[in-house]
């Protein structure tokens, strides 16, 4: 497991968890409230769950990516959800994300459109996926991403704030002049 916590009032932020055979984050009995913000949990075909809980816990999950876990295991929450919004996932177990706080996204079918190098480099690619500019602004609590870069403008979902220079360039016409041959 990446993190197993039974400590009351735990906060996990700006963290990347990958691989393994258990959950990326497990909120255990004894942790009365867990706050998970701007995390990236990326599994593999052999890994366990992205985020899971045990009885008697409550979790708040914001701006978090949990993808590439066995079917039905991106978020497994059976106890209580204080907040669940602006997350990216393919599947959930134990709750209905449609009745939660909104802003949730499906991941792209090709993870190379989401991460610089899936399985190795989990910085966000800003090329058409929906993790860019769809997060909640949490600057009242923290302002940096996993690399220590300052988050600004509209926040991203996940631990990284995006890779500068990977955005698609939209042509901008600065001056237009028709030239006719003589």
């Amino acid at each position: 497991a990446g993190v197993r916590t039974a400590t009351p009032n735990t906060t996990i932020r700006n963290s990347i968890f990958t691989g393994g055979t258990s959950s990326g984050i497990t909120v255990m009995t004894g942790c009365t409230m867990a706050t998970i913000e701007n995390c990236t949990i990326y599994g593999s075909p052999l890994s366990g769950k992205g985020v899971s809980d045990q009885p008697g816990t409550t979790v708040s999950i914001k701006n978090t990516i949990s993808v590439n876990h066995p079917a039905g295991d991106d978020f497994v929450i059976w106890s209580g959800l204080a907040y669940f919004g602006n997350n990216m996932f393919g599947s959930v177990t134990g709750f209905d994300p449609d009745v939660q706080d909104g802003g949730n996204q499906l991941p792209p079918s090709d993870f190379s459109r989401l991460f610089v190098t899936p399985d190795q480099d989990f910085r966000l690619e800003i090329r058409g996926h929906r993790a860019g500019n769809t997060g909640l602004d949490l600057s009242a609590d923290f302002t940096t991403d996993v690399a220590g870069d300052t988050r600004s403008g509209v926040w991203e979902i996940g631990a990284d704030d995006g890779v500068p220079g990977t955005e698609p360039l939209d042509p901008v016409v600065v001056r237009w002049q028709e030239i006719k041959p003589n």
Side-chain angles (χ1 to χ4, degrees), residues 77-100:
I77 307 296
W78 294 102
S79 290
L81 277 170
Y83 191 96
F84 187 86
N86 298 76
N87 301 302
M88 181 177 281
F89 55 90
S91 57
V92 300
T93 301
F95 68 99
D96 181 357
D98 292 334
V99 299
Q100 299 302 319

Side-chain angles (χ1 to χ4, degrees), residues 8 21 45 52 55-56 60 72 75 78 89 92 109 113 120 127 131 134 140 158 165:
T21 57
S52 65
S60 171
F75 289 103
W78 294 102
F89 55 90
V92 300
S109 58
R113 302 277 298 161
Q120 295 176 10
R127 297 185 306 172
T134 57

Side-chain angles (χ1 to χ4, degrees), residues 114-129:
L114 181 60
F115 301 117
V116 170
T117 309
D119 296 318
Q120 295 176 10
D121 187 342
F122 297 100
R123 291 176 296 153
L124 289 177
E125 283 282 3
I126 307 297
R127 297 185 306 172
H129 62 78

Side-chain angles (χ1 to χ4, degrees), residues 7-82:
T7 304
N9 300 318
T10 297
T11 299
I12 303 166
R13 289 191 178 116
N14 282 338
S15 300
I16 298 173
F17 304 97
T18 183
T21 57
S22 187
S23 297
I25 300 172
T26 301
V27 181
M28 300 173 67
T29 301
C31 180
T32 52
M33 181 63 192
T35 301
I36 301 167
E37 298 171 332
N38 283 96
C39 289
T40 298
I41 304 111
Y42 183 86
S44 69
L46 299 176
S47 75
K49 303 166 184 81
V51 177
S52 65
D53 73 340
Q54 293 182 342
T57 62
T58 301
V59 295
S60 171
I61 306 171
K62 300 174 183 174
N63 295 356
T64 293
I65 297 172
S66 182
V67 295
N68 202 32
H69 304 284
D73 289 345
D74 293 336
F75 289 103
V76 181
I77 307 296
W78 294 102
S79 290
L81 277 170

